[in-house]
Every structure is written in structure tokens, then in C-alpha cells.
């Protein structure tokens, strides 16, 4: 039996049939989706297979996300106070134990794509060996800005307070925090950075106001 659960501010859980702005298509059994009631959806579609878990925190906004989670025994976990502008998360069919873990206070721009596996097999034509692993995990830390058109592949990690430049390809783990990453494939192009969701003008004005109070 599948369950869609709304979580209240006091952690009370209520099983519901639908959530505004979110269409869920069940393709299996024994999956659970938990969503905090303060997170809002618009034009989102989730396709979910068997024995999967989805957990989405509070005060988020999700627009135009297509989540294809036909892998089994897998999870997607999103923290609190986040924005996803549009994109797709693909946890491919016929694979198990894949995951996408996203921290708090993240901002994802439009047309992002996360893939936890290759979906198909690459073979050494001489030795007949499989060259690409079947399963993968994607981990995004706290306060991460993912730019327009970014593609994140299996077994990738982005640490806290980092920025991924537009149309970058992420295909490995970046363990350092506070870095600007960009390129195809991406590399660290600047260290010791941080970011604000405010525009440069707003941030500069706010900084001036704080300084004037000192």
C-alpha cells in the first residue's frame, strides 16, 4: 500500500489523497511520500515505483519538477526552506538503492537534471566487462545554489555554501565547501565564496544599512 502524508508543524502526520500542484503516479507498492504542509507545489509530477521513500521539508517551493523514481528501495530527501524552479530527477528503472539527498536553504534554478545512474550499460568490447556501475547517490549540502541548466550525475557531491555555474556538468564528489564550480566537466574555479539569494543591488544596500548602524 502506498501512502501520501502531510506533516504539520508539530510533526503530526495526516494521510491524504492529493496535494495541490502535485500529481503522483504510483507504479508499485509500499512507497511513502512525506511532505511538510508549508511546502508548495506547482505543475509537478512524481512517478514512483515500489518500496521507495520521499521526504520533503518545510517552507519550500517546487515548480515544474518531474521526478521519475521507478528504481526500488530508493530515497529522495529534501531539506527545509528551498526553491526548485524546474527540472527533473531521474532514479532509473530496474535499479535499486539509489538516492538524492538535498540539504536546507538550497536554490535550484530552471532546467536542472539529476541522474542517479546511467540507465544503460557501457561494455568493454574486448573484455566484455561492464564499465559503468549500476547504482548511484547524489548529495547536495546546505545552502547550495545550482545554476540554470546544470546536470548532476551519479555519485556526485556538492558541499555546503557552494555555487554551481550555469550549464555545468557535475560528475564527481567536491568535498570542499564554499566553492564556485563551473564547466563541462565542472571544476573549482574559486574558493572561499558564499552567496545570497538577494540581487547584488539588494545585498549591497543591506550591507550599507548595517554599516550605518554601527
Amino acid at each position: 500500500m502506498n501512502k501520501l502524508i502531510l506533516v504539520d508543524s508539530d510533526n503530526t502526520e495526516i494521510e491524504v489523497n492529493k496535494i495541490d500542484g502535485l500529481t503522483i503516479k504510483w507504479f508499485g507498492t509500499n512507497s511513502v511520500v512525506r511532505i511538510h504542509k508549508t511546502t508548495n507545489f506547482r505543475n509537478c509530477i512524481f512517478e514512483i515505483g515500489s518500496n521507495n521513500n520521499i521526504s520533503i521539508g518545510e517552507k519550500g517551493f517546487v515548480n515544474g519538477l518531474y521526478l521519475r523514481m521507478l528504481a526500488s528501495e530508493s530515497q529522495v530527501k529534501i531539506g527545509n526552506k528551498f526553491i526548485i524552479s524546474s527540472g527533473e530527477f531521474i532514479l532509473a528503472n530496474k535499479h535499486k538503492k539509489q538516492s538524492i539527498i538535498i540539504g536546507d536553504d538550497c536554490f535550484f534554478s530552471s532546467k536542472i537534471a539529476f541522474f542517479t545512474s546511467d540507465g544503460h550499460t557501457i561494455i568493454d568490447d574486448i573484455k566484455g566487462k561492464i564499465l559503468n556501475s549500476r547504482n548511484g547517490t547524489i548529495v547536495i549540502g546546505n545552502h547550495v545554489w545550482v545554476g540554470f541548466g546544470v546536470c548532476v550525475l551519479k555519485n556526485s557531491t556538492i558541499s555546503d555554501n557552494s555555487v554551481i555555474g550555469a550549464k555545468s556538468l557535475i560528475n564527481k564528489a567536491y568535498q570542499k565547501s564554499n566553492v564556485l564550480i563551473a564547466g563541462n566537466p565542472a571544476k573549482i574555479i574559486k574558493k572561499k565564496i558564499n552567496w545570497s539569494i538577494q540581487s547584488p543591488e539588494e545585498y549591497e544596500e543591506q550591507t550599507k544599512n548595517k554599516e550605518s548602524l554601527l
Side-chain angles (χ1 to χ4, degrees):
M1 182 177 179
N2 300 307
K3 293 183 179 181
L4 173 60
I5 296 171
L6 269 183
V7 182
D8 210 335
S9 299
D10 61 359
N11 291 322
T12 301
E13 295 187 352
I14 303 171
E15 190 169 349
V16 297
N17 294 320
K18 64 178 182 178
I19 293 176
D20 290 344
L22 172 61
T23 298
I24 295 182
K25 300 178 180 180
W26 304 102
F27 288 90
T29 59
N30 299 318
S31 288
V32 179
V33 178
R34 284 184 175 85
I35 297 173
H36 198 279
K37 65 180 297 185
T38 57
T39 287
N40 296 307
F41 294 83
R42 185 170 65 191
N43 300 323
C44 295
I45 299 173
F46 290 4
E47 298 179 347
I48 305 171
S50 295
N51 302 307
N52 290 324
N53 283 281
I54 297 174
S55 174
I56 299 177
E58 64 180 355
K59 299 179 181 178
F61 175 69
V62 191
N63 176 68
L65 177 65
Y66 172 52
L67 169 61
R68 184 174 176 82
M69 193 178 182
L70 299 186
S72 61
E73 301 174 37
S74 298
Q75 67 168 329
V76 171
K77 183 177 181 181
I78 303 175
N80 304 316
K81 300 179 182 178
F82 65 92
I83 296 174
I84 298 175
S85 299
S86 71
E88 55 186 38
F89 293 171
I90 307 297
L91 296 88
N93 195 10
K94 299 181 181 178
H95 299 307
K96 295 182 178 180
K97 299 179 180 178
Q98 301 175 49
S99 59
I100 295 174
I101 311 296
I102 298 167
D104 298 334
D105 193 31
C106 290
F107 173 59
F108 291 4
S109 189
S110 303
K111 297 184 179 180
I112 61 169
F114 285 16
F115 299 94
T116 57
S117 75
D118 296 335
H120 308 287
T121 307
I122 301 173
I123 306 160
D124 184 313
D125 201 31
I126 297 174
K127 297 181 180 180
K129 293 179 62 177
I130 296 174
L131 299 177
N132 53 338
S133 62
R134 297 179 179 179
N135 303 322
T137 297
I138 293 172
V139 179
I140 306 294
N142 298 315
H143 192 57
V144 174
W145 173 10
V146 179
F148 174 86
V150 167
C151 180
V152 182
L153 302 182
K154 63 180 183 180
N155 300 322
S156 294
T157 299
I158 302 296
S159 297
D160 298 348
N161 305 316
S162 295
V163 177
I164 306 175
K167 296 189 176 182
S168 295
L169 174 67
I170 306 298
N171 63 355
K172 65 180 183 179
Y174 297 86
Q175 303 293 353
K176 291 184 179 294
S177 59
N178 297 83
V179 294
L180 174 59
I181 303 166
N184 186 351
K187 62 181 180 180
I188 295 174
I189 60 174
K190 192 169 182 61
K191 300 178 181 179
K192 297 182 180 179
I193 65 100
N194 212 320
W195 66 277
S196 168
I197 200 167
Q198 296 173 306
S199 69
E201 292 79 9
E202 291 171 330
Y203 186 81
E204 185 176 41
E205 185 65 27
Q206 181 187 61
T207 303
K208 287 180 181 179
N209 291 337
K210 286 182 178 179
E211 289 174 349
S212 67
L213 295 174
L214 296 177

